[in-house]
Amino acid sequence: MAVGIFDSGLGGLTVLDAVQARLPEVPFVYYADSAHTPYGVRDSQDIYELTTRGVQRLFDAGCDLVILACNTASAAALRRMQEGWVPRDKRVLGVFVPLIEALTERKWGDNSPPREVAVKHVALFATPATVSSRAFQRELAFRAIGVDVEAQACGGVVDAIEEGDMILAEALVSSHVEALKRKMPNPDAAILGCTHYPIMQDQFQAALGPDVRVFSQANLVAESLADYLARHPEMTGPGDTAGFLTTGDPRKVSAGATRFLRRQITFDAA
Ligand code: DGL
């Protein structure tokens, strides 16, 4: 009954942690495409090819349902995969919809027309590829009207976090928030639209100020997955072994993951 969690690298471990805590009985297989991270600076064709390859590997590991923890893959590849690539008996879900449901206070499957919602000015912080895909705005437009979204491509933050340079990461967060505020001085809400940013949530909140509600995806995705599996128990696949797979050097990736999550993680070659 395994479920797959796909990410371009280590950032998706923030999502893994949350889904494991929410669904301790489910074995999760985590796939990190460490050989090709970061995705945030790649073009959409490249992201599509890498994501389908990784998701296929998770299908082969006995997962019928795969969560794209990576926002960049969710933004640049998911729709195309769902439209023409995902086999009939498998499912691939992304991370934007749970976030947008929380932001717009709508429930899953509420297909009523888009309507006015409480938030009016939303700041989106994400990778350059996610920002240029405009996938967040597209998904939001299905559910809400009258919401002004200002997106800030946060170049450099993922690399700084992956390298463990938190001083640089903090400085970059401050400067990206300043840049956003020049375009939108008073956002009501901010979306941390990248797997790595929950680690910097306090810095985003401090730079944005206490009046801005910051939405971070790990717990929202965990709730949404629990709800999905309660409605579709058949989608927990035949695999029964949890594990960690990487396209990178397993020893190096295991060391990075252990530092990232502050507990021992052992990756195998994908
Ligand atoms: N996992 C990616 C995301 O959530 C961030 C890292 C990358 O650029 O690959 O957007």
Side-chain angles (χ1 to χ4, degrees):
M1 49 177 277
V3 171
I5 305 287
F6 171 92
D7 189 44
S8 56
L10 298 181
L13 291 171
T14 55
V15 173
L16 179 78
D17 239 11
V19 295
Q20 269 180 337
R22 181 66 182 77
L23 295 160
E25 70 287 2
V26 176
F28 289 98
V29 184
Y30 184 90
Y31 178 101
D33 193 5
S34 319
H36 305 105
T37 196
Y39 279 16
V41 290
R42 292 178 180 274
D43 66 35
S44 53
Q45 179 61 25
D46 213 6
I47 295 167
Y48 175 80
E49 283 168 15
L50 292 169
T51 305
T52 48
R53 197 184 307 165
V55 171
Q56 184 60 53
R57 178 68 185 84
L58 287 166
F59 290 160
D60 296 344
C63 304
D64 287 349
L65 169 64
V66 174
I67 307 297
L68 298 186
C70 179
N71 293 261
T72 307
S74 299
L78 180 59
R79 176 169 282 248
R80 187 171 160 199
M81 289 168 72
Q82 287 172 333
E83 282 171 358
W85 182 83
V86 179
R88 206 176 276 277
D89 56 340
K90 313 274 190 232
R91 293 286 178 279
V92 181
L93 303 175
V95 283
F96 276 135
V97 170
L99 261 181
I100 290 172
E101 283 166 0
L103 184 74
T104 57
E105 295 176 9
R106 287 175 72 126
K107 289 259 177 299
W108 194 90
D110 173 357
N111 291 325
S112 59
R115 58 170 183 260
E116 294 241 7
V117 292
V119 288
K120 297 285 175 233
H121 304 284
V122 175
L124 169 67
F125 296 96
T127 65
T130 298
V131 169
S132 67
S133 75
R134 296 186 62 79
F136 179 83
Q137 289 90 328
R138 190 180 61 224
E139 292 294 336
L140 183 63
F142 288 130
R143 296 166 177 85
I145 48 175
V147 184
D148 183 17
V149 177
E150 196 61 68
Q152 177 66 28
C154 297
V157 177
V158 165
D159 300 275
I161 295 173
E162 290 271 334
E163 279 155 29
D165 190 343
M166 302 318 274
I167 294 174
L168 175 60
E170 213 168 298
L172 287 169
V173 165
S174 301
S175 86
H176 287 305
V177 170
E178 282 315 310
L180 184 284
K181 279 179 152 179
R182 283 196 288 277
K183 298 179 279 183
M184 178 182 274
N186 296 306
D188 323 308
I191 302 290
L192 304 189
C194 173
T195 45
H196 290 59
Y197 302 171
I199 290 173
M200 307 301 293
Q201 182 154 351
D202 291 348
Q203 286 76 15
F204 273 103
Q205 185 74 70
L208 285 159
D211 296 336
V212 181
R213 182 158 174 218
V214 176
F215 287 80
S216 176
Q217 59 203 176
N219 291 333
L220 296 173
V221 172
E223 271 318 309
S224 171
L225 176 60
D227 181 53
Y228 183 86
L229 288 178
R231 284 180 291 108
H232 301 279
E234 75 285 1
M235 287 317 299
T236 43
D240 56 9
T241 316
F244 294 88
L245 301 170
T246 180
T247 54
D249 170 359
R251 264 191 26 211
K252 234 175 105 183
V253 176
S254 301
T258 301
R259 192 177 63 225
F260 194 85
L261 276 195
R262 299 197 184 94
R263 63 182 162 89
Q264 181 63 45
I265 307 273
T266 306
F267 274 85
D268 295 316

